[in-house]
């Protein structure tokens, strides 16, 4: 299967904005999708934020499996200079928890002379606008929606001595883990035209079959899904949900859209697509592949340079008069 790569706009603008702002930042909040905390992280962020203390916020916890969310929180909390908490849009006042966690990460900051300066980052669709809207209230959020305004850095005053900075545009990771691409697409983070729904649905069903077989069986009234191949499962979902083309053929595209939609809408219950251990394995394999690809690329480039050198060049003195 092809690797999903997608690059939303404003990447350079965002990178520049973060690099400039980071000098005067005490804590970085990285918003993650609690259903895919590994895949929705951005490895580029650690470089850009120069090892500043980080608060990982696992957002949309209402959609994720609580046990796996706990495992991810423990995983992040064990990392140096890192705290993690889980949130969702239904929480009326998330500011208190965020402020407390930031003070734990940067205990010397606070008070009007040394206000806490926090930068919030996250990949598209992770819920950053929703969270900021909740934090600032509806009226202030409307101002940010006007054309031109969204391109500016926003400073949100959460308390007299607590500033939250929001960067413009998006910071999208270079995806080196194929499974991360599929999980991001299933979650809704990738633009609709940038992936093949059938491929994404097959990968999603593969994960669900392994970790949540009973949910699939209950939702689509199927027997023992573990015995089915991913294609058979997608076909069976299409048949059960009336996704048919003329001649009673299963419309696999429609079936794929149904499976993805049901996952996003929580129709299968609270699901997390990856555990810290699984993600660590995918990442290690992805890094090995990426290094091999880079070596091949370097070898081709070196070969090209050598050949170029060997091509006899006309002596300039013999050139046309
Ligand atoms: P972004 O700024 O990071 O791009 O994300 P945004 O806040 O626009 O949120 C993306 C979608 O996620 C929105 O759905 C929003 O309602 C939903 N969302 C945000 N936070 C939460 C949460 O904690 N729990 C749940 N269940 N949903 C959340 P939408 O408006 O329907 O957009 P879409 O689904 O059509 O993308």
């Amino acid at each position: 299967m092809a690797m999903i790569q997608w690059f939303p706009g404003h990447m350079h603008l965002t990178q520049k904005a973060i690099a400039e702002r980071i000098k005067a930042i005490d804590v970085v909040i990285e918003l993650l999708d609690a259903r895919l905390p590994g895949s929705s992280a951005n490895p580029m962020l650690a470089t850009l934020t120069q090892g500043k203390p980080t608060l990982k916020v696992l957002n949309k916890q209402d959609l994720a499996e609580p046990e796996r969310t706990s495992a991810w929180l423990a995983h992040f909390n064990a990392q140096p200079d890192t705290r993690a908490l889980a949130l969702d849009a239904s929480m009326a006042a998330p500011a208190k928890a965020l402020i407390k966690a930031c003070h734990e990460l940067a205990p010397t900051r606070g008070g009007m002379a040394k206000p806490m300066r926090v930068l919030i980052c996250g990949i598209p669709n992770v819920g950053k606008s929703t969270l900021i809207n909740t934090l600032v209230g509806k009226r202030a959020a409307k101002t940010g929606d006007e054309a031109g305004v969204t391109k500016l850095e926003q400073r949100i005053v959460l308390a007299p001595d607590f500033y939250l900075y929001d960067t413009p545009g998006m910071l999208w990771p270079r995806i080196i883990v194929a499974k991360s691409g599929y999980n991001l697409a299933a979650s809704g983070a990738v633009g609709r035209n940038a992936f093949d729904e059938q491929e994404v649905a097959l990968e999603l069903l593969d994960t669900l079959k392994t970790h949540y077989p009973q949910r699939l069986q209950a939702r689509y009234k199927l027997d023992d899904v573990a015995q089915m191949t991913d294609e058979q499962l997608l076909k069976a979902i299409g048949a059960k949900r009336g996704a048919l083309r003329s001649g009673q053929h299963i419309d696999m595209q429609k079936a794929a859209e149904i499976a993805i939609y049901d996952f996003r809408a929580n129709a299968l219950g609270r699901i997390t697509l990856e555990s810290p251990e699984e993600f660590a394995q995918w990442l290690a394999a992805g890094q090995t592949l990426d290094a091999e690809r880079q070596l091949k690329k370097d070898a081709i480039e070196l070969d090209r340079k050598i050949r170029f050198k060997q091509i006899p060049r006309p002596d300039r003195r013999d050139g046309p008069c």
Side-chain angles (χ1 to χ4, degrees):
M1 285 196 213
M3 179 99 78
I4 291 173
Q5 288 292 0
W6 180 63
F7 295 99
H10 303 308
M11 279 281 282
H12 293 295
L13 183 66
T14 309
Q15 236 167 298
K16 219 173 127 213
I18 293 179
E20 272 168 27
R21 167 55 53 196
I22 201 67
K23 295 167 203 147
I25 283 297
D26 306 304
V27 174
V28 175
I29 294 182
E30 185 175 14
L31 221 51
L32 303 172
D33 188 322
R35 296 168 297 172
L36 46 147
S39 297
S40 57
N42 194 331
M44 193 202 283
L45 199 61
T47 317
L48 278 174
T49 58
Q50 301 161 12
K52 299 270 175 174
T54 303
L55 174 62
K56 309 264 188 190
V57 173
L58 273 61
N59 200 37
K60 305 196 185 186
Q61 68 160 342
D62 56 314
L63 303 178
E65 184 198 312
E67 292 77 29
R68 282 192 150 187
T69 299
S70 302
W72 275 104
L73 291 177
H75 169 78
F76 288 130
N77 278 320
Q79 294 174 359
D81 288 324
T82 308
R83 281 258 185 304
L85 57 86
L87 282 186
D88 65 68
S90 73
M91 286 176 78
K96 218 170 147 188
L98 291 180
I99 291 174
K100 184 169 171 274
C102 289
H103 278 301
E104 284 167 8
L105 282 164
T108 61
R109 299 298 302 191
M112 296 310 284
K114 283 195 292 176
M116 178 75 78
R117 299 152 309 171
V118 176
L119 181 70
I120 186 162
C121 309
I123 62 162
N125 207 48
V126 75
K128 193 167 74 157
S129 319
T130 308
L131 178 63
I132 289 175
N133 288 358
T134 312
L135 293 171
V136 298
K138 282 206 165 59
R139 248 187 48 190
K142 273 227 166 81
T143 326
D145 286 345
E146 286 166 22
V149 178
T150 43
K151 286 200 175 159
L152 297 174
E153 177 188 71
Q154 277 192 38
R155 191 182 81 158
I156 299 135
V157 181
L158 282 192
D161 65 343
F162 196 108
Y163 306 149
L164 187 65
Y165 293 91
D166 179 26
T167 46
M170 311 292 179
L171 199 60
W172 188 253
R174 189 170 72 87
I175 298 168
I176 61 163
V177 175
K179 191 75 180 170
S180 287
Y182 292 113
N183 287 354
L184 284 162
S187 78
V190 178
R192 211 179 155 207
N193 297 326
F195 65 91
D196 179 321
E197 271 104 348
Q198 288 187 50
E199 273 189 33
V200 170
L202 289 170
E203 277 294 325
L204 175 65
L205 291 175
D206 194 54
T207 303
L208 299 180
K209 207 173 67 175
T210 310
H211 295 290
Y212 303 96
Q214 297 88 351
R215 309 271 193 97
L216 284 172
Q217 284 160 203
R219 172 77 188 162
Y220 303 112
K221 308 206 170 30
L222 299 169
D223 303 321
D224 205 0
V225 292
Q227 299 303 316
M228 297 180 177
T229 64
D230 301 334
E231 283 82 2
Q232 286 169 339
L233 185 49
L234 187 59
K235 250 189 190 162
I237 291 171
K240 291 279 177 179
R241 296 291 300 272
L244 300 172
R245 286 190 285 134
S246 55
Q248 295 297 298
H249 290 298
I250 306 290
D251 185 337
M252 294 295 266
Q253 175 64 21
K254 189 95 189 290
E257 286 168 14
I258 290 170
I260 295 171
Y261 177 85
D262 280 356
F263 164 68
R264 289 184 188 167
N266 230 14
L268 295 151
R270 298 172 71 170
I271 283 170
T272 300
L273 297 176
E274 51 200 45
S275 68
E277 296 74 27
E278 276 171 335
F279 184 74
Q281 279 175 12
W282 302 342
L283 187 60
Q287 282 167 338
T288 307
L289 260 179
D290 197 47
E292 283 168 10
R293 261 197 301 264
Q294 191 57 46
L295 272 177
K296 256 190 208 154
K297 233 171 103 186
D298 290 350
I300 291 169
E301 180 63 11
L302 188 66
D303 186 51
R304 197 188 63 80
K305 275 187 185 153
I306 293 169
R307 279 167 200 265
F308 185 70
K309 254 188 165 174
Q310 285 169 349
I311 297 172
R313 244 126 336 120
D315 190 332
R316 281 177 196 276
R317 283 167 305 181
D318 300 338
C321 324

